[in-house]
Amino acid sequence: MDWRNEEFDLGGVNHLALVCADMKRTVEFYTQVLGMRLIKTLDLPAGSGQHFFFDMGGGNALAFFWFPDAPDPVPGVSAPVTVPGFGEWTSAVGSMNHVAFNVPEERFLDYRAKLKAKGVKVSPIIDHDDSAEGVARELHPGVFVRSFYFQDPDGILLEFACWRRVMGQPGDIRHEPKTAADRTGLRV
């Protein structure tokens, strides 16, 4: 039996809204490179911008705002500088670090090759496991998710990930959550 939220009947992500510098370039990337379907476009009142929506599949949408006066991104603050495997990928509190798209495991390697063939720079494959490093040197039964990362034209960090087992099993929740006091330099 699948787990069900008894507090709120959430049905996934309605949409995740990001900000782009060039809506035309964003539409081209998400439709032509990633194959998403543009499903809704809006011009915001008084020339204040645009808001476009893309179908991500599974009833979920990815949306972009374009604001004519939006500040430029600050790599390492508003978003990661680059992708895991190529350098620094931390970002500021309150920022969106990355968007992970769920893909079928049997198509995972094909999708990576397809992106590379389209000229997209992709990270090495990262096999996430429960080792101290959190990354396996080679694929083994303890790898719970495989992924690779890439960036859109605005530097938004994207990930293709495939679960290798059902999550939420005994042993999956075993760490105490950190607090703001645990952040470097903030100890009182």
Side-chain angles (χ1 to χ4, degrees):
M1 181 173 158
D2 288 334
W3 175 84
R4 184 162 182 257
N5 182 341
E6 297 295 331
E7 187 74 23
F8 296 99
D9 190 10
L10 304 177
V13 176
N14 180 282
H15 69 277
L16 173 63
L18 307 172
V19 178
C20 67
D22 183 319
M23 189 64 84
K24 184 176 186 331
R25 181 180 68 180
T26 296
V27 169
E28 288 170 356
F29 180 82
Y30 285 90
T31 60
Q32 295 172 17
V33 176
L34 295 187
M36 292 184 188
R37 183 171 60 111
L38 185 62
I39 57 173
K40 180 67 178 168
T41 64
L42 299 165
D43 277 335
L44 301 176
S48 61
Q50 292 186 312
H51 194 30
F52 284 23
F53 295 78
F54 299 87
D55 184 347
M56 288 194 294
N60 305 302
L62 183 63
F64 283 88
F65 281 104
W66 173 83
F67 300 118
D69 57 354
D72 288 335
V74 179
V77 177
S78 55
V81 174
T82 187
V83 301
F86 287 132
E88 185 58 46
W89 57 278
T90 60
S91 58
V93 171
S95 69
M96 188 215 59
N97 187 271
H98 68 280
V99 178
F101 300 104
N102 193 37
V103 298
E105 186 173 9
E106 63 273 9
R107 305 288 308 274
F108 178 75
L109 296 174
D110 293 336
Y111 288 174
R112 186 171 183 273
K114 186 183 274 191
L115 284 174
K116 287 175 77 170
K118 292 181 177 198
V120 176
K121 182 180 178 182
V122 299
S123 77
I125 293 171
I126 300 175
D127 291 324
H128 305 269
D129 68 2
D130 289 322
S131 67
E133 297 80 27
V135 177
R137 292 185 184 265
E138 58 187 50
L139 188 60
H140 62 81
V143 170
F144 57 88
V145 66
R146 302 192 84 194
S147 68
F148 65 85
Y149 299 84
F150 56 100
Q151 290 173 302
D152 85 348
D154 284 307
I156 295 170
L157 185 57
L158 305 173
E159 175 186 15
F160 275 6
C162 58
W163 294 115
R164 301 197 70 233
R165 63 177 172 82
V166 175
M167 301 306 291
Q169 303 302 308
D172 284 339
I173 311 300
R174 56 191 175 125
H175 301 90
E176 287 298 317
K178 301 291 186 183
T179 70
D182 294 316
R183 292 180 58 207
T184 305
L186 295 180
R187 300 200 190 276
V188 179

